[in-house]
Amino acid sequence: MIGHKVAADLQAAGFKGVLTNALYDTWWHGGFRTAPYFHNSIGILSEAASARLMSPSTITTEQLARSSTRGMRSATESSTNFPDPWPAGEWRPRDIMSMEMISARSILEMAAKFRGDYLRNFYELGRTNVEGAADRSDPQAYMIPAGQGRDEAVAKLVGSLIDQGVEVFRLDRELHAFLATPIVRRTNPTAEKLGSYRRLASLNSSAMQEVPAGSYIIFLAQPQRTNVLALFEPQIYPNRLTGLGEAERPYDVAGWTLPLQMGVEAPVVMAIKEPANQRKLTLLKDANEVRADLALALKKGDESPIKNPVKQPVRVGIYKGSTGNMDEGWTRYIFDTFNVPYTSVRDADMRRGGLSSKFDALIFTSQAATQIINGNAAGTLPQEYTGGITETGVKNLKEFVNNGGMLICFDNACDLAIKEFNLPLKNTLEGVRSSEFYCPGSIVALDVENKHPIAAMLPSSLPAYFINSSAFAATSEANVRVIARYAKDNVLLSGWLLGEDKLRGQIALAEVGVGKGRIVLFGFRPQHRGQTWATLPFIWNALSSAASNTSE
């Protein structure tokens, strides 16, 4: 209804439609248009063409004709859901402002007119969520058992739930419960390329288990039930292919199960022995209550209370090119959150050299090698923001590693290291068509060699985030130490994986000796969007290893 009102008001004001590169869907739980659905509210997406340009631009009909998107052949053709296309012409910042103002007023008018209906619907959705968990054959809750040894991750997870209105209780007395673990299995294990999966819940035990005091429980009989399920359940993305057999990519990611990303055990509670009147529970009201439970430093103001996990001083440089890289920004966010000191390394710093005198470890986040080396083209920006690290920077990087430095590469940046250092590794997924292999933003299982210092204190199996990432095979065993491989079976934990056979058993994380130094290659992104706390210890261990090497 709201969308129709906005469209009608825009058309009445003389605006026509423009639709290009639209891949939007309602799957992902991470945008302001979709997350409200899980909070019993209305989500709306509004984007204006070329909003980043503050100068008028002229668009031709020929340009529009070349633009197609999911379900539409051309941006110039009218259709049932696109009845009045824009005929091309001049597009101005003022058009953007006017469109947004009309849309905002239209929404406010609808909210005022139907205020009672919206509030009633909000209430009814919450009530339905509470009553929807009454069937005893369905899961009753999720449990976060005490004593996992990942206190900061548990505090972050529980605190995030509390901050968005989810009811979380602390067990002040032990309970006895049937616990189940959600797992994902291939529907047809022999049909590797079909990417067809189903979700199963398998009981850990045939008997009641004692859950210790200090654990946390999230009951599904609460208004936020759909939100809790969306965050805790594994996602199984539908196997969507084009007419040519290629994968039809989702708008954003396919899987995001939060406990898996955080590396926190959160089994399903199928039943509880003790009746409600015999349970001793405390409803948590503040994230600091969780930190106090776990004897962690309390959060004060805007500063992160997390203690630096890198035990020895280490001089860390994070490459920050001029082309812009969100993965680099998320990396700085994680380092700031964990209070790990670092220095941003610019293109000019790489070209200037002398890296060994300033750094023990350099981190290159996920970025194409051509962007790193070439940067922005000359003439497109002021001179100081063009040129990349150039071949001179590559030469200085080689000198840094050969002199004993550690180079850490995430995902796409590994291509730079493999080719420029002539490493005995290859990306087995390079050039593979999406009809053969596709894994967009999903959680996969790793088999970890936890005797290696970079995997110290980690479990033998670990969830990792794979977003059209890399998988390696060694072309020679010389100097290659494998730290983690993608699991040999049941690789997918949440999301979408097409062509599992091409990922199983391949190298996910390796260390290669070069001269006096080392290169650590992550085929995946261990810090993806600041959420994948399960794999952050790999980074801290690598930096601790670099510090130890320097002190020697």
Side-chain angles (χ1 to χ4, degrees):
M1 183 186 296
I2 290 179
H4 294 162
K5 174 70 163 60
V6 172
D9 287 352
L10 286 171
Q11 190 167 35
F15 281 94
K16 295 180 180 293
V18 180
L19 181 64
T20 59
N21 303 317
L23 295 169
Y24 309 115
D25 54 39
T26 56
W27 179 263
W28 182 46
H29 188 352
F32 283 127
R33 76 186 183 284
T34 49
Y37 305 159
F38 301 97
H39 292 264
N40 309 325
S41 300
I42 297 171
I44 299 173
L45 170 70
S46 173
E47 288 192 355
S50 300
R52 63 183 177 178
L53 303 178
M54 291 313 294
S55 299
S57 56
T58 301
I59 308 299
T60 66
T61 303
E62 290 73 20
Q63 286 176 297
L64 288 177
R66 291 194 297 269
S67 297
S68 61
T69 190
R70 181 181 292 170
M72 297 186 64
R73 291 186 303 175
S74 169
T76 63
E77 296 182 8
S78 62
S79 60
T80 303
N81 61 345
F82 190 56
D84 198 6
W86 184 55
E90 188 177 55
W91 182 251
R92 302 163 300 174
R94 183 173 184 82
D95 296 324
I96 298 170
M97 182 189 72
S98 298
M99 179 180 285
E100 295 293 349
M101 289 298 293
I102 292 169
S103 300
R105 290 192 178 109
S106 182
I107 292 169
L108 290 173
E109 286 177 9
M110 289 290 288
K113 184 176 181 179
F114 296 100
R115 177 177 180 273
D117 292 330
Y118 292 140
L119 289 174
R120 171 61 62 178
N121 289 338
F122 177 80
Y123 167 79
E124 290 295 340
L125 287 169
R127 184 172 64 85
T128 300
N129 279 339
V130 173
E131 296 174 351
D135 189 338
R136 292 300 169 184
S137 64
D138 291 336
Q140 302 301 301
Y142 283 92
M143 187 76 72
I144 301 176
Q148 297 194 31
R150 298 295 306 276
D151 290 350
E152 285 290 359
V154 169
K156 176 65 174 178
L157 175 57
V158 176
S160 297
L161 296 173
I162 295 170
D163 288 344
Q164 57 183 299
V166 174
E167 296 174 357
V168 182
F169 293 85
R170 179 182 63 239
L171 273 62
D172 295 326
R173 179 189 299 158
E174 70 277 1
L175 287 178
H176 297 81
F178 277 112
L179 302 181
T181 301
I183 58 175
V184 173
R185 299 284 190 191
R186 290 192 304 277
T187 303
N188 182 358
T190 62
E192 296 290 355
K193 295 180 182 179
L194 293 180
S196 184
Y197 295 84
R198 59 178 173 157
R199 183 188 301 116
L200 300 175
S202 62
L203 286 177
N204 293 339
S205 170
S206 59
M208 285 280 181
Q209 300 180 49
E210 182 177 294
V211 183
S215 301
Y216 300 100
I217 188 167
I218 304 98
F219 290 103
L220 291 176
Q222 63 170 294
Q224 291 274 347
R225 179 175 189 269
T226 51
N227 184 36
V228 173
L229 289 172
L231 294 174
F232 278 71
E233 281 188 332
Q235 283 75 51
I236 307 297
Y237 192 82
N239 188 39
R240 300 183 62 167
L241 304 177
T242 68
L244 299 176
E246 299 293 330
E248 183 181 278
R249 77 176 182 89
Y251 167 69
D252 196 87
V253 301
W256 57 81
T257 309
L258 201 51
L260 289 176
Q261 290 194 74
M262 300 295 294
V264 173
E265 294 179 20
V268 178
V269 178
M270 302 302 294
I272 299 175
K273 178 181 178 181
E274 291 82 2
N277 61 2
Q278 294 182 16
R279 303 168 191 170
K280 190 172 183 181
L281 308 172
T282 296
L283 177 64
L284 301 175
K285 298 179 181 179
D286 183 85
N288 260 344
E289 290 185 53
V290 186
R291 300 193 66 83
D293 289 346
L294 301 172
L296 298 172
L298 300 185
K299 182 174 175 58
K300 299 177 182 178
D302 295 331
E303 294 184 3
S304 171
I306 300 177
K307 185 178 179 180
N308 182 355
V310 182
K311 304 305 180 185
Q312 300 183 54
V314 57
R315 301 172 300 168
V316 181
I318 300 176
Y319 171 67
K320 181 181 175 64
S322 297
T323 57
N325 180 8
M326 284 190 287
D327 200 53
E328 182 269 336
W330 282 118
T331 304
R332 286 187 286 112
Y333 171 77
I334 279 295
F335 273 65
D336 290 339
T337 300
F338 281 79
N339 290 301
V340 178
Y342 65 91
T343 300
S344 290
V345 183
R346 298 285 190 169
D347 292 320
D349 299 320
M350 294 298 300
R351 296 192 295 262
R352 191 176 300 114
L355 300 171
S356 298
S357 64
K358 304 171 186 174
F359 304 108
D360 304 313
L362 288 174
I363 297 176
F364 279 67
T365 59
S366 187
Q367 189 173 15
T370 53
Q371 282 191 342
I372 295 171
I373 296 174
N374 300 327
N376 295 307
T380 59
L381 290 170
Q383 184 176 354
E384 63 265 33
Y385 301 118
T386 62
I389 70 172
T390 72
E391 293 300 330
T392 299
V394 173
K395 176 177 174 293
N396 291 332
L397 188 60
K398 291 179 178 179
E399 181 180 273
F400 167 76
V401 175
N402 278 300
N403 286 342
M406 174 179 281
L407 171 61
I408 301 172
C409 297
F410 297 161
D411 204 348
N412 290 337
C414 293
D415 182 57
L416 172 74
I418 290 172
K419 293 179 179 177
E420 294 296 338
F421 285 83
N422 195 28
L423 302 182
L425 290 167
K426 65 176 181 179
N427 181 6
T428 61
L429 300 177
E430 186 174 3
V432 176
R433 295 174 62 91
S434 66
S435 57
E436 297 293 318
F437 177 85
Y438 193 63
C439 187
S442 300
I443 303 172
V444 299
L446 300 182
D447 291 335
V448 180
E449 177 50 68
N450 49 22
K451 293 182 181 179
H452 191 286
I454 292 178
M457 306 300 291
L458 287 172
S460 59
S461 180
L462 201 64
Y465 210 82
F466 192 103
I467 181 162
N468 297 313
S469 299
S470 308
F472 305 123
T475 57
S476 169
E477 300 298 326
N479 297 327
V480 176
R481 295 188 66 185
V482 177
I483 303 168
R485 293 182 181 271
Y486 298 108
K488 295 179 181 178
D489 195 19
N490 298 321
V491 184
L492 181 66
L493 298 178
S494 182
W496 186 19
L497 174 55
L498 180 69
E500 182 178 318
D501 60 312
K502 295 191 179 298
L503 193 62
R504 282 201 306 260
Q506 299 289 3
I507 298 172
L509 172 58
E511 179 187 62
V512 183
V514 176
K516 296 179 181 179
R518 292 170 289 166
I519 300 179
V520 179
L521 301 109
F522 287 84
F524 55 96
R525 302 181 193 182
Q527 71 335 350
H528 177 68
R529 291 180 179 171
Q531 290 183 336
T532 55
W533 287 34
T535 46
L536 293 182
F538 284 129
I539 305 174
W540 313 140
N541 287 343
L543 295 179
S544 296
S545 176
S548 299
N549 190 55
T550 302
S551 63
E552 292 172 2

